[in-house]
Amino acid sequence: MPHSPQGDDSWRIHRTAADLDRLGETESIFALGNGWVGWRGTLDEGEPYEMPGTYLNGFHEQRELSYPEDGYAFPEHSDTVISAPNAALVRLWVGGEPLDLRTGTVRRHERVLDLRAGVVRRETEWISPGGRGVRVRSTRLVSLPRRPVAAVDYQVEPLDGPVEVRVCADLLANERVPERADDPRAASVIHDPLTAETGRHDGTDGVLVHRTERSAQRVAVAVAHEVDAPGTAATDTELTPDRFRLAVTGPLCPGERIRVTKFAAYECAHVDGTPAGELADLVVAEADAARAEGFAALLDAQRAALDAAWATADVELDGDPELQQALRFAVFHLLQSGRADGDRTIPAKGLTGNGYDGHVLWDTEGYVLPVLTYLAPGLARSALRWRHAHLPEARERAAELRLAGATFPWRTLGGRECSAYWPAGSAGLHVNADIADAVLRHVAATGDMNFLAECGVELLVETARLWHRYGHWSDTGTFHLTGLTGPDEYSALVDDNLFTNLMARRNLRGAADAAERLSEAAARLGVDPVEIAGWRAAADAVHVPYDGKRGVHQQSAGFTEQPEWDFANTRADDYPLLLHFPYLELYRRQVVKQADLVLAMLRCPGEFTADEKARNFAYYEARTVRDSSLSASAQAILAAEVGHLDLAYDLFAETALQDLEDLGDKTADGLHLASLAGAWLVVAQGFGGLRDDRGVLSFDPRLPRRITRLAFHLRWHGHRLRVTLTPEAARYELPDAGPADAVELWHHGERLRVTGDAPVTRPMPPVPDAGPEPPSPPGRRPPRRSQEDVGGAD
């Protein structure tokens, strides 16, 4: 879809009538949320649409899983995200004809996602089939400061002559959601999942309360309205079990308008937790309070919240306006994906769509939380507290699998395993180490000892216990993890997946350090010196598979000796391979879906020498097809580290534009938050050279030729550190600090102390010659952007 990232448009995403044939993508891209409520970016009138959705974090229904052949410990149920009642709808009839952009004449139609203001604005000029014209303007927001609140301001006026209009502000439950069965990653749609419990209205306001059957959740939504209309207009209301409607009807002459402002409030709770009437009263009070505050005040509070967030989160990239816009778009959606004031996590699609059934995957801890730990640590802390809150389910799963400690689910909404495909689900135990890694990075970056004591140490201990029990000691004294699936889902049930082994080592050592540091908390968990010693011994003995003949590490034991994939006879339309080839064929060959060993070198950089990284990167670049949106960012970061900056830049563009350009044809199901997070990670870890795996902040920056200046911030132990890079120099400063404040860091091996007194500037050393760029699989190299001149182009 076209977009014009010029000037101030780096803060705005535009869509026009030309984009109406790709509604699903726009609905995801224009989604608004606050970590609790999510409104997809559907048109105000509801029609046309591809996939409507109003989501509450954690609100779902349960469905049974069926298997051709059942097996012990197979998950019996899965959770699927469902839509809460939709309060974003404002339908319009003009002269008795519904406003529908597929009919009549669209004289003008533009929608704008404003990344600074946190709103979607729309203006449409439409002439009905009967020849009557209207101008519609609307603004919608999901409040970042006010957790339950969303609002829409809708205005209609005549274009050329008098018209009769009817504006209907709807609150609708059990909205129809179309099924998409063309891809196993699409959601399983549950039709009519909500059962009405109660509803009432008072004047122009209304509230609906519904419940789910299997998951036993209750949801209440209230709407309060302000109406500004000529005296000739009439209002009426309609209440049914699944809908509350406020209608405003009347003639409009040129110069007159009807304006309806709707304030909505959402809450959900377990059926046994809060009675229906009490939940209804709660949301009515919230909607009334939002109306009393006023729409203008909500807009001001939204802008203030984002101004505060952007002070740390903004990235400035000179040299490529389109990627500047894409970076701000990515960070905006990360900022609105979580909340700091509750124990809620962040699903793989956030609250932007129902892809992956709305499940939480390892994407959150692997990609999203490392970014939020630096930009908005409160959001990361809440997501990790959510994992801690679901330790009971993880312990139950471990016991069911005859393991120790905790086994966190591969896919989940309510804390229990939801994946029916056990080779990737139950066998993907690395999710436990990803959670531990996120804990360790969060504590290293924030110094938050309260979090470590309250939640972190228990997460580290229980995940370490899993590895210690699962691992196997060989006769030669090495520690092996067998029969597991790593990040690369084109290899399953392998022995000694290098990523899993090294992350388990980090987990074991991190747990041992935390238990010794917080001995009283560890003692309450039953940890003793013998157990700690066992963790350290296992970590020291973890097997690291290596192919001495080829001079590269093995993704898993024996991987480099497997048959090669026949790329010569693989057509361009055979990708993604999982939709065109049986897993039996994928599992036995050297073809990589997504970065696995390359990701290991990123997460555990101290485990590899510079020469090993270069050889490993070249070997696996030739076999990685990037059939996952998780891959490009990790490959870009390592490409930058080993010196292939053009390839790094092109991979960076792929991850940054994943959704804005719908590169994987899956954006309609919701945004790829891990890919959006990956764009920031490439900036900081790839071009900034940021590493922190050992609790020390270090930078080895190097810029691709397209970037003339790059500036970003991160939070480190309460300080806001600004990093500014040019081809000549790196500048480090603490813009908010006093003279006594300081951050110690490393720049290309030199130890620096940055204080509030003055910035520290160091030269950028030349990038070493990395030699010829390693080949990608035929047809799978990202499009070349690094050498183009696209500055200012659409």
Side-chain angles (χ1 to χ4, degrees):
M1 285 185 284
H3 48 283
S4 50
Q6 300 179 13
D8 198 45
D9 276 355
S10 66
W11 289 101
R12 295 194 295 261
I13 310 296
H14 297 254
R15 294 293 182 264
T16 67
D19 304 305
L20 291 175
D21 60 338
R22 303 172 78 175
L23 279 173
E25 297 165 35
T26 301
E27 290 165 2
S28 297
I29 289 168
F30 278 48
L32 295 175
N34 63 9
W36 171 244
V37 180
W39 274 0
R40 270 178 67 82
T42 49
L43 293 166
D44 298 303
E45 297 80 21
E47 296 277 358
Y49 67 83
E50 184 163 327
M51 186 179 72
T54 299
Y55 307 114
L56 299 186
N57 197 322
F59 186 61
H60 66 275
E61 181 57 304
Q62 194 176 83
R63 59 185 175 87
E64 292 185 1
L65 293 173
S66 61
Y67 303 89
E69 295 185 23
D70 205 354
Y72 174 78
F74 281 14
E76 297 179 357
H77 304 93
S78 182
D79 297 329
T80 297
V81 66
I82 57 174
S83 285
N86 185 358
L89 292 168
V90 184
R91 305 186 191 277
L92 174 65
W93 281 262
V94 180
E97 297 175 298
L99 192 158
D100 188 324
L101 297 180
R102 297 167 296 186
T103 66
T105 301
V106 180
R107 185 188 295 181
R108 180 171 187 265
H109 176 70
E110 181 183 41
R111 301 179 78 206
V112 176
L113 171 62
D114 188 324
L115 305 175
R116 277 191 179 277
V119 300
V120 171
R121 296 190 178 92
R122 172 263 188 104
E123 182 168 345
T124 299
E125 294 180 0
W126 180 74
I127 301 174
S128 72
R132 297 171 178 84
V134 293
R135 178 181 294 109
V136 174
R137 295 187 179 96
S138 71
T139 303
R140 65 167 64 170
L141 65 84
V142 177
S143 175
L144 292 169
R146 299 179 69 100
R147 172 182 170 275
V149 171
V152 57
D153 182 71
Y154 190 93
Q155 304 180 41
V156 58
E157 61 187 51
L159 273 181
D160 304 312
V163 295
E164 180 81 17
V165 301
R166 180 174 173 84
V167 180
C168 294
D170 283 354
L171 171 61
L172 180 65
N174 288 318
E175 196 169 10
R176 302 302 296 176
V177 178
E179 296 192 49
R180 292 189 60 181
D182 58 330
D183 193 314
R185 297 164 291 184
S188 300
V189 174
I190 301 175
H191 295 294
D192 299 325
L194 300 178
T195 300
E197 288 194 306
T198 186
R200 64 177 191 257
H201 69 95
D202 180 8
T204 62
D205 305 337
V207 60
L208 297 177
V209 182
H210 288 73
R211 62 164 291 166
T212 62
E213 293 304 316
R214 291 177 177 267
S215 65
Q217 291 179 295
R218 175 174 286 130
V219 60
V221 188
V223 288
H225 297 94
E226 284 185 343
V227 177
D228 179 12
T232 53
T235 62
D236 60 87
T237 59
E238 176 187 346
L239 178 66
T240 68
D242 280 352
R243 187 177 71 184
F244 171 73
R245 166 173 286 182
L246 166 67
V248 183
T249 306
L252 285 180
C253 296
E256 296 180 325
R257 69 173 183 178
I258 289 178
R259 177 181 182 182
V260 177
T261 308
K262 183 193 303 187
F263 303 86
Y266 290 82
E267 285 292 352
C268 71
H270 197 273
V271 166
D272 294 336
T274 306
E278 184 178 328
L279 206 62
D281 292 342
L282 180 63
V283 292
V284 166
E286 289 284 359
D288 285 345
R291 177 172 55 189
E293 184 176 349
F295 192 74
L298 289 179
L299 291 174
D300 290 343
Q302 188 85 337
R303 176 60 186 257
L306 280 168
D307 283 348
W310 283 119
T312 298
D314 189 26
V315 176
E316 300 167 38
L317 184 152
D318 294 346
D320 195 327
E322 187 179 34
L323 291 189
Q324 169 68 90
Q325 181 196 59
L327 277 167
R328 286 176 171 150
F329 169 79
V331 173
F332 171 79
H333 276 288
L334 294 176
L335 291 174
Q336 67 170 8
S337 68
R339 293 199 66 79
D341 58 359
D343 296 343
R344 296 285 171 172
T345 191
I346 301 169
K349 296 285 189 176
L351 300 177
T352 69
N354 67 3
Y356 300 113
D357 284 315
H359 287 161
V360 180
L361 292 93
W362 69 284
D363 307 29
T364 300
E365 287 79 19
Y367 290 81
V368 176
L369 297 195
V371 177
L372 293 180
T373 284
Y374 287 129
L375 301 185
L379 306 187
R381 183 176 58 248
S382 288
L384 289 170
R385 290 178 65 88
W386 181 87
R387 286 291 193 185
H388 181 261
H390 288 289
L391 261 173
E393 294 94 333
R395 289 192 182 101
E396 289 177 13
R397 183 62 173 163
E400 186 178 36
L401 295 175
R402 305 293 193 265
L403 299 174
T407 300
F408 282 97
W410 179 256
R411 292 176 61 153
T412 190
L413 264 173
R416 298 188 182 279
E417 180 62 72
C418 290
S419 174
Y421 186 63
W422 66 269
S426 297
L429 291 184
H430 71 82
V431 66
N432 297 276
D434 295 310
I435 293 169
D437 180 73
V439 170
L440 294 170
R441 291 183 190 276
H442 184 73
V443 173
T446 64
D448 189 346
M449 295 303 296
N450 288 332
F451 165 77
L452 183 63
E454 294 170 3
C455 301
V457 67
E458 191 169 13
L459 287 168
L460 294 170
V461 163
E462 295 292 44
T463 48
R465 283 171 169 164
L466 169 80
W467 300 120
H468 198 221
R469 168 71 67 85
Y470 192 91
H472 161 67
W473 289 90
S474 71
D475 293 341
T476 60
T478 51
F479 191 73
H480 299 265
L481 299 171
T482 58
L484 297 179
T485 300
D488 172 29
E489 294 154 27
Y490 286 172
S491 300
L493 305 180
V494 299
D495 296 340
D496 290 318
N497 169 252
L498 182 61
F499 176 89
T500 304
N501 282 19
L502 292 182
M503 291 289 282
R505 170 184 283 175
R506 175 166 164 77
N507 190 168
L508 289 161
R509 288 174 174 166
D513 291 344
E516 290 174 344
R517 191 175 186 181
L518 298 172
S519 56
E520 291 185 7
R524 288 194 295 270
L525 299 172
V527 179
D528 59 29
V530 173
E531 187 172 24
I532 293 174
W535 295 342
R536 292 199 185 280
D540 292 343
V542 161
H543 179 61
V544 178
Y546 185 80
D547 184 339
K549 178 180 177 181
R550 295 170 178 82
V552 296
H553 286 87
Q554 294 183 313
Q555 179 173 292
S556 57
F559 180 86
T560 55
E561 300 166 18
Q562 294 175 187
E564 297 279 4
W565 184 264
D566 185 5
F567 285 112
N569 291 310
T570 303
R571 304 187 309 270
D573 59 2
D574 283 334
Y575 296 96
L577 299 179
L578 81 161
L579 299 184
H580 301 94
F581 293 90
Y583 276 113
L584 182 66
E585 185 70 3
L586 295 169
Y587 286 165
R588 71 187 190 91
R589 295 189 180 274
Q590 290 190 60
V591 59
V592 182
K593 178 183 180 184
Q594 62 204 57
D596 190 307
L597 190 142
V598 167
L599 192 61
M601 295 191 294
L602 170 59
R603 296 281 187 82
C604 305
E607 303 282 357
F608 304 87
T609 67
D611 287 343
E612 288 172 342
K613 289 177 182 177
R615 292 195 303 271
N616 287 341
F617 179 80
Y619 187 87
Y620 288 94
E621 177 64 24
R623 292 158 178 83
T624 303
V625 296
R626 297 194 320 285
D627 279 351
S628 166
S629 61
L630 299 180
S631 195
S633 61
Q635 290 175 262
I637 294 167
L638 262 296
E641 181 175 351
V642 301
H644 298 296
L645 286 173
D646 284 350
L647 177 59
Y649 196 80
D650 297 339
L651 287 163
F652 167 53
E654 180 174 297
T655 195
L657 296 171
Q658 178 72 38
D659 287 314
L660 284 175
E661 297 293 343
D662 193 20
L663 298 181
D665 194 31
K666 293 296 294 176
T667 297
D669 289 344
L671 300 180
H672 300 78
L673 288 196
S675 188
L676 298 179
W680 189 91
L681 291 173
V682 176
V683 165
Q685 296 181 333
F687 307 141
L690 165 66
R691 296 293 184 271
D692 68 345
D693 59 302
R694 305 208 169 180
V696 177
L697 192 61
S698 66
F699 297 89
D700 293 305
R702 52 191 56 176
L703 289 183
R705 69 184 93 182
R706 282 292 308 276
I707 299 178
T708 57
R709 186 182 70 95
L710 182 65
F712 61 93
H713 303 82
L714 61 129
R715 296 244 166 225
W716 186 261
H717 289 261
H719 298 294
R720 183 167 68 103
L721 174 68
R722 178 177 174 86
V723 180
T724 305
L725 307 174
T726 66
E728 296 77 28
R731 175 187 172 107
Y732 305 96
E733 57 190 312
L734 300 176
D736 308 322
D741 296 321
V743 167
E744 292 191 354
L745 56 87
W746 294 78
H747 168 83
H748 282 289
E750 179 188 0
R751 188 171 185 173
L752 304 178
R753 180 178 173 84
V754 182
T755 69
D757 278 335
V760 176
T761 301
R762 287 293 183 272
M764 294 273 275
V767 178
D769 183 6
E773 179 182 295
S776 304
R780 301 305 286 171
R781 192 199 185 280
R784 292 189 180 274
R785 183 186 190 88
S786 52
Q787 300 175 21
E788 295 178 4
D789 180 12
V790 298
D794 285 357

